[in-house]
Amino acid sequence: NNISVVKNVYEALGKGNMPSVLGAIYPKIEWHEARESVYTSGEAFIGPDTVLNKLFARLAQEWAGFEVHPNLFYDAGETVIVEGRYSGIYRATGKEQDTQMCHI
């Protein structure tokens, strides 16, 4: 089912298994970051390579111990909604993050 697929992607992400994460992403994905995110220009990241280079690579470079902690998974038919938290330390300031997130 869709929730199992999504849980497997988060598990791969937690293990740093980027080939599995990127392989699960739809080739023509339009990934939108939150409007307030420093990782968005207002435009979608198109395709797995763009997501890797414009988002995941920056997260790895700019954050120490960045992690995604999925908590609740909701089955909405063909859509899975995930609630959880982000954590890590922003290298430039040394400040810790513990932020609520929701992925659709």
Side-chain angles (χ1 to χ4, degrees):
N1 70 32
N2 290 338
I3 287 181
S4 294
V5 170
V6 172
K7 282 183 177 182
N8 288 337
V9 172
Y10 280 99
E11 185 177 320
L13 182 63
K15 292 178 180 177
N17 184 345
M18 293 311 294
S20 290
V21 173
L22 296 172
I25 294 176
Y26 176 64
K28 295 181 183 179
I29 190 171
E30 294 185 22
W31 183 298
H32 296 269
E33 281 293 296
R35 222 175 314 184
E36 296 81 15
S37 172
V38 298
Y39 298 102
T40 187
S41 65
E43 302 293 322
F45 301 139
I46 309 295
D49 287 339
T50 303
V51 172
L52 173 65
N53 295 315
K54 299 278 184 164
L55 180 63
F56 292 153
R58 284 188 65 191
L59 289 170
Q61 180 181 26
E62 296 173 8
W63 291 86
F66 181 85
E67 293 183 13
V68 179
H69 308 275
N71 183 32
L72 299 172
F73 294 81
Y74 302 97
D75 186 345
E78 291 189 21
T79 300
V80 175
I81 301 166
V82 182
E83 287 185 58
R85 302 197 73 76
Y86 296 133
S87 67
I89 299 172
Y90 190 59
R91 294 181 199 278
T93 63
K95 289 189 176 187
E96 285 190 50
Q97 169 181 258
D98 180 17
T99 307
Q100 185 176 11
M101 65 82 168
C102 181
H103 294 160
I104 301 171

